[in-house]
Amino acid sequence: MRATILLLVTFLLGIYSTKAQEFAIGAKGGLNYYSIGDINSRANSIANLNEDELFYPNKKLGYQFGGYFTVEYGKFFLRPEIVYLSSKNSYDFPDEKAYWETSRIEVPVLVGFEIFDPLSLYLGPGFNFYNDTSLDGVQVTSYSDGGPDLDKTTVNFNIGVMVRFGRFGVDLRYEQGLKETEEELLDIVHSAYGVNLADLKSYTPNMLRLSVFIDIFRTNPDDLDGFFSNLFRSNKCHCPYN
């Protein structure tokens, strides 16, 4: 969290000391596909089952929404965001489908470059703060303390392409985690799902995200300079428009 605050403070100081071409504040929203690990059902945990069985996750559409602040320096731009993401996957266990759900707050700090109008490329880190992650059927027993037990704060790397049409735009982004998760033993309710003791394999989280955005407010430094200088004019009511 301290690293995020330091980055944002440094960013704002850079804005103050550099003549930017334009500033924009906007909102965004869209969909995502989140990739997680396979689950290996242990054969010796179920009677009459002699071989392990591997279950692959099915990606489900998740959603995201949030806001951003963009500062442009010629063809370059800086774009910190704050985004809420909700993601869902599922596993087709023998007796019933089990759903995996997770949500988080992400604070990306992106640096981009306009290749040509209207296409831009960008990249940068994202700082994640996870809420609870759940998988249907997982129970707390002497074998397992529940789960999935994932880190509450992580860092990922983002790279994407953005197409802008006036105040509106479309953003396609790939996100890759910087740290692999640890393999974890899960105890699943066999009577409901047909799986008992199972290993959630280690994996590196990644996500494909598509969103649309709109600049709610957009200006340039000349407008800002004029506005703030008028705030300090010497007049009786101290109004910027006297």
Side-chain angles (χ1 to χ4, degrees), residues 16-146:
Y16 180 79
S17 60
T18 307
K19 286 292 185 181
Q21 186 179 18
E22 287 190 274
F23 298 79
I25 298 173
K28 59 180 298 182
L31 304 173
N32 63 69
Y33 270 122
Y34 183 48
S35 296
I36 57 175
D38 303 332
I39 288 182
N40 179 68
S41 177
R42 294 186 178 182
N44 57 10
S45 69
I46 302 175
N48 303 319
L49 184 63
N50 297 319
E51 295 183 358
D52 290 5
E53 188 171 359
L54 193 63
F55 297 94
Y56 302 98
N58 303 308
K59 296 177 184 179
K60 305 290 183 181
L61 277 177
Y63 64 89
Q64 62 207 26
F65 61 86
Y68 59 86
F69 178 54
T70 303
V71 184
E72 299 177 0
Y73 303 88
K75 289 185 173 294
F76 291 91
F77 63 86
L78 292 174
R79 182 179 171 111
E81 300 178 348
I82 181 166
V83 185
Y84 174 84
L85 299 104
S86 177
S87 304
K88 181 179 288 188
N89 300 73
S90 68
Y91 294 92
D92 292 326
F93 290 147
D95 294 343
E96 187 173 345
K97 181 176 292 186
Y99 289 93
W100 167 300
E101 295 185 52
T102 187
S103 62
R104 61 185 162 104
I105 301 293
E106 183 193 20
V107 183
V109 181
L110 308 172
V111 179
F113 178 77
E114 182 185 288
I115 304 300
F116 56 83
D117 189 14
L119 181 68
S120 298
L121 298 178
Y122 64 85
L123 53 81
F127 304 91
N128 302 294
F129 307 92
Y130 278 87
N131 297 319
D132 290 337
T133 299
S134 64
L135 174 63
D136 292 342
V138 173
Q139 58 187 339
V140 178
T141 65
S142 58
Y143 297 100
S144 172
D145 60 356

Side-chain angles (χ1 to χ4, degrees), residues 140-165:
V140 178
T141 65
S142 58
Y143 297 100
S144 172
D145 60 356
D149 296 325
L150 304 177
D151 292 341
K152 292 296 184 181
T153 59
T154 63
V155 179
N156 59 40
F157 178 77
N158 297 282
I159 184 168
V161 59
M162 184 184 303
V163 180
R164 176 184 290 278
F165 306 97

Side-chain angles (χ1 to χ4, degrees), residues 149-150 179-185 200-203:
D149 296 325
L150 304 177
K179 180 182 177 182
E180 189 175 64
T181 65
E182 296 183 2
E183 185 169 310
E184 181 179 359
L185 176 62
L200 173 60
K201 296 295 187 179
S202 62
Y203 64 95

